[in-house]
Amino acid sequence: MKDYKGYFIDIDGTMYKGSEIIEGAIEFIEYLNANNKDYLFVTNNSSKTPAEVAEKLNNMGFNTSSEHVITSAMATAGYISEESPGASVYMVGGSGLKSSLSDAGLVIKEDQNVDYVVMGLDVNISYEKLSVACLAVRNGAKFISTNKDVSIPNERGFLPGNGSLTSVVSVSTGQTPIFIGKPETIIMEQAVEKIGLSKEECVMIGDLYDTDILAGINSGIDTLHVQTGVTSLEEINLKEILPTYSVKNLFEVIK
């Protein structure tokens, strides 16, 4: 495997599954830290702040910081603020999305008269929130969604993801949103900018072909599939476009 300077790393299914640390994950981060390799955890989770993401990882035994995290909420805020600085936003989502939008200088409003509607995972979703979002989109607000994940893994099983919530507004209004998170290129372009390296110097690591691996493929970045999560090696081998590499676990990378 090529010796890369930068590593984009998925979290769930790559670093851990629920409360279970995946074999080789902690050792891989230790290897990156010890060898001064640049890396970013790239997550579609918009409900957590970078500090909260890093805190969970550290509590599980990883040694990292919020500077090594980019979320779909951060990428969404960056996209909107670059396109329309100071724009008004009606958001559906958690504290991570709210803080990212605010930190980017965007104005969060609680009514339908806004420039943008942003959909993120909201565990306290309500009919009223969806109603205001629909009304705002019908009023001409630009429709943005942090990611299209239709389900998310949980100790209870697979629960509705942000893509499922987004679909309610999309079906009701007839409008398709701009998606920001993996496998879209928007979050990856921002990750490349944040890490400060060329695409050729980086690799995208993840377990799920339809988000992690396609994010790299769509963005022209080499990919490393880990056989520790959702997509099996057998399923990978059936894909039209294969990842650059596939490994049993991250121990194989640091041998």
Side-chain angles (χ1 to χ4, degrees), residues 31 36 40 43 46 62 64 71 74 78 81 93 98 141 149 155 171 202 211 217 220 226 231 239 243:
Y31 163 81
N36 295 314
L40 283 175
T43 175
S46 66
F62 294 86
T64 191
T71 70
M74 295 168 63
S81 61
K98 185 174 184 178
D149 300 353
E155 58 272 9
V171 170
C202 298
T211 54
I217 291 171
V226 286
T231 309
K239 300 297 183 181

Short mmCIF file of all heavy atoms in Angstrom, two decimals, residues 31 36 40 43 46 62 64 71 74 78 81 93 98 141 149 155 171 202 211 217 220 226 231 239 243:
data_model
loop_
_atom_site.label_atom_id
_atom_site.label_comp_id
_atom_site.label_asym_id
_atom_site.label_seq_id
_atom_site.Cartn_x
_atom_site.Cartn_y
_atom_site.Cartn_z
N TYR A 31 -0.52 4.92 15.49
CA TYR A 31 0.49 4.91 14.42
C TYR A 31 0.51 6.27 13.70
O TYR A 31 1.59 6.83 13.45
CB TYR A 31 0.18 3.78 13.43
CG TYR A 31 0.86 3.90 12.09
CD1 TYR A 31 2.20 3.51 11.94
CD2 TYR A 31 0.19 4.41 10.98
CE1 TYR A 31 2.84 3.62 10.71
CE2 TYR A 31 0.82 4.53 9.76
CZ TYR A 31 2.15 4.14 9.63
OH TYR A 31 2.77 4.26 8.42
N ASN A 36 3.39 11.39 12.82
CA ASN A 36 3.03 12.75 12.38
C ASN A 36 2.27 12.76 11.06
O ASN A 36 2.49 13.63 10.20
CB ASN A 36 4.27 13.63 12.28
CG ASN A 36 4.93 13.86 13.63
OD1 ASN A 36 4.26 14.16 14.61
ND2 ASN A 36 6.24 13.70 13.68
N LEU A 40 -8.12 13.20 9.33
CA LEU A 40 -9.41 13.79 9.70
C LEU A 40 -10.45 12.70 9.79
O LEU A 40 -10.57 11.87 8.88
CB LEU A 40 -9.87 14.81 8.65
CG LEU A 40 -9.22 16.20 8.62
CD1 LEU A 40 -9.77 16.98 7.42
CD2 LEU A 40 -9.52 16.96 9.91
N THR A 43 -17.27 12.49 9.21
CA THR A 43 -18.51 11.85 9.64
C THR A 43 -19.74 12.56 9.10
O THR A 43 -19.79 13.80 9.04
CB THR A 43 -18.58 11.79 11.19
OG1 THR A 43 -19.86 11.27 11.59
CG2 THR A 43 -18.42 13.17 11.82
N SER A 46 -24.39 14.92 11.93
CA SER A 46 -24.48 16.38 12.05
C SER A 46 -24.95 16.82 13.44
O SER A 46 -24.95 18.00 13.75
CB SER A 46 -25.45 16.94 11.00
OG SER A 46 -26.79 16.50 11.27
N PHE A 62 -9.11 6.25 22.35
CA PHE A 62 -8.37 6.87 21.25
C PHE A 62 -7.69 8.14 21.77
O PHE A 62 -8.13 8.73 22.77
CB PHE A 62 -9.32 7.23 20.11
CG PHE A 62 -9.93 6.04 19.42
CD1 PHE A 62 -11.10 5.46 19.90
CD2 PHE A 62 -9.34 5.50 18.29
CE1 PHE A 62 -11.66 4.36 19.27
CE2 PHE A 62 -9.90 4.40 17.66
CZ PHE A 62 -11.07 3.83 18.15
N THR A 64 -7.09 11.66 20.35
CA THR A 64 -7.33 12.58 19.25
C THR A 64 -7.89 13.89 19.78
O THR A 64 -8.00 14.09 20.99
CB THR A 64 -8.27 11.95 18.20
OG1 THR A 64 -8.27 12.75 17.01
CG2 THR A 64 -9.67 11.78 18.75
N THR A 71 -17.40 17.33 10.33
CA THR A 71 -18.74 16.75 10.31
C THR A 71 -19.53 17.30 9.12
O THR A 71 -19.16 18.32 8.53
CB THR A 71 -19.51 17.09 11.60
OG1 THR A 71 -19.81 18.51 11.60
CG2 THR A 71 -18.69 16.75 12.84
N MET A 74 -20.47 20.88 9.77
CA MET A 74 -19.43 21.86 9.45
C MET A 74 -19.37 22.11 7.95
O MET A 74 -19.26 23.26 7.50
CB MET A 74 -18.08 21.35 9.95
CG MET A 74 -17.95 21.21 11.44
SD MET A 74 -16.46 20.29 11.92
CE MET A 74 -15.16 21.35 11.30
N GLY A 78 -20.12 25.57 5.99
CA GLY A 78 -19.12 26.12 5.09
C GLY A 78 -19.66 26.37 3.70
O GLY A 78 -19.37 27.40 3.07
N SER A 81 -22.17 29.45 3.90
CA SER A 81 -21.51 30.73 4.19
C SER A 81 -20.65 31.19 3.01
O SER A 81 -20.48 32.40 2.79
CB SER A 81 -20.66 30.62 5.45
OG SER A 81 -19.65 29.66 5.31
N GLY A 93 -32.48 19.89 13.26
CA GLY A 93 -31.26 19.17 13.61
C GLY A 93 -30.88 19.34 15.06
O GLY A 93 -31.65 19.91 15.85
N LYS A 98 -26.55 23.31 14.85
CA LYS A 98 -26.82 24.69 15.29
C LYS A 98 -25.53 25.46 15.54
O LYS A 98 -25.38 26.61 15.09
CB LYS A 98 -27.69 24.68 16.55
CG LYS A 98 -28.12 26.06 17.01
CD LYS A 98 -29.09 25.97 18.19
CE LYS A 98 -29.59 27.36 18.58
NZ LYS A 98 -30.57 27.28 19.70
N ALA A 141 -37.06 29.07 -0.26
CA ALA A 141 -35.79 28.83 0.44
C ALA A 141 -35.02 27.71 -0.26
O ALA A 141 -35.62 26.73 -0.72
CB ALA A 141 -36.05 28.47 1.89
N ASP A 149 -28.26 9.56 4.46
CA ASP A 149 -28.33 8.27 5.16
C ASP A 149 -29.77 7.97 5.58
O ASP A 149 -30.33 8.69 6.41
CB ASP A 149 -27.45 8.27 6.40
CG ASP A 149 -25.98 8.52 6.09
OD1 ASP A 149 -25.63 8.57 4.90
OD2 ASP A 149 -25.19 8.68 7.04
N GLU A 155 -27.86 0.34 19.05
CA GLU A 155 -27.93 -0.93 19.77
C GLU A 155 -29.31 -1.58 19.68
O GLU A 155 -29.45 -2.79 19.86
CB GLU A 155 -27.55 -0.73 21.25
CG GLU A 155 -28.41 0.26 22.02
CD GLU A 155 -27.89 1.69 21.91
OE1 GLU A 155 -26.97 1.95 21.11
OE2 GLU A 155 -28.42 2.55 22.63
N VAL A 171 -40.65 14.96 -0.52
CA VAL A 171 -41.88 14.42 -1.13
C VAL A 171 -43.00 15.45 -1.08
O VAL A 171 -43.75 15.64 -2.05
CB VAL A 171 -42.30 13.12 -0.42
CG1 VAL A 171 -43.69 12.69 -0.86
CG2 VAL A 171 -41.30 12.00 -0.71
N CYS A 202 -3.67 11.70 -0.35
CA CYS A 202 -4.62 11.27 0.68
C CYS A 202 -5.34 9.98 0.30
O CYS A 202 -5.40 9.60 -0.87
CB CYS A 202 -5.67 12.36 0.91
SG CYS A 202 -4.98 13.93 1.50
N THR A 211 -21.28 5.02 1.00
CA THR A 211 -20.97 6.36 1.52
C THR A 211 -19.46 6.61 1.50
O THR A 211 -18.97 7.45 0.76
CB THR A 211 -21.53 6.56 2.94
OG1 THR A 211 -21.05 5.51 3.80
CG2 THR A 211 -23.03 6.58 2.94
N ILE A 217 -14.17 7.78 -4.30
CA ILE A 217 -14.23 7.56 -5.76
C ILE A 217 -14.78 8.81 -6.46
O ILE A 217 -14.22 9.27 -7.46
CB ILE A 217 -15.07 6.33 -6.08
CG1 ILE A 217 -14.35 5.05 -5.62
CG2 ILE A 217 -15.38 6.25 -7.58
CD1 ILE A 217 -15.20 3.79 -5.69
N GLY A 220 -12.14 11.62 -6.55
CA GLY A 220 -10.82 11.39 -7.11
C GLY A 220 -9.76 11.12 -6.07
O GLY A 220 -8.58 11.47 -6.26
N VAL A 226 -12.32 -1.22 4.73
CA VAL A 226 -12.04 -2.11 5.85
C VAL A 226 -13.21 -3.07 6.01
O VAL A 226 -14.37 -2.66 5.99
CB VAL A 226 -11.77 -1.34 7.16
CG1 VAL A 226 -10.42 -0.68 7.14
CG2 VAL A 226 -12.85 -0.30 7.43
N THR A 231 -20.25 -3.24 4.69
CA THR A 231 -20.04 -3.86 3.38
C THR A 231 -18.97 -4.95 3.46
O THR A 231 -17.82 -4.68 3.82
CB THR A 231 -19.63 -2.82 2.34
OG1 THR A 231 -20.55 -1.71 2.37
CG2 THR A 231 -19.64 -3.42 0.94
N LYS A 239 -18.90 -4.93 -6.98
CA LYS A 239 -19.07 -3.55 -7.40
C LYS A 239 -18.38 -3.29 -8.74
O LYS A 239 -17.34 -3.89 -9.05
CB LYS A 239 -18.51 -2.59 -6.34
CG LYS A 239 -19.17 -2.71 -4.97
CD LYS A 239 -20.64 -2.36 -5.01
CE LYS A 239 -21.26 -2.41 -3.61
NZ LYS A 239 -22.71 -2.09 -3.63
N PRO A 243 -12.71 -0.42 -4.62
CA PRO A 243 -11.83 0.47 -3.86
C PRO A 243 -10.38 0.21 -4.25
O PRO A 243 -10.04 -0.86 -4.78
CB PRO A 243 -12.10 0.07 -2.41
CG PRO A 243 -12.65 -1.31 -2.48
CD PRO A 243 -13.40 -1.39 -3.76
#
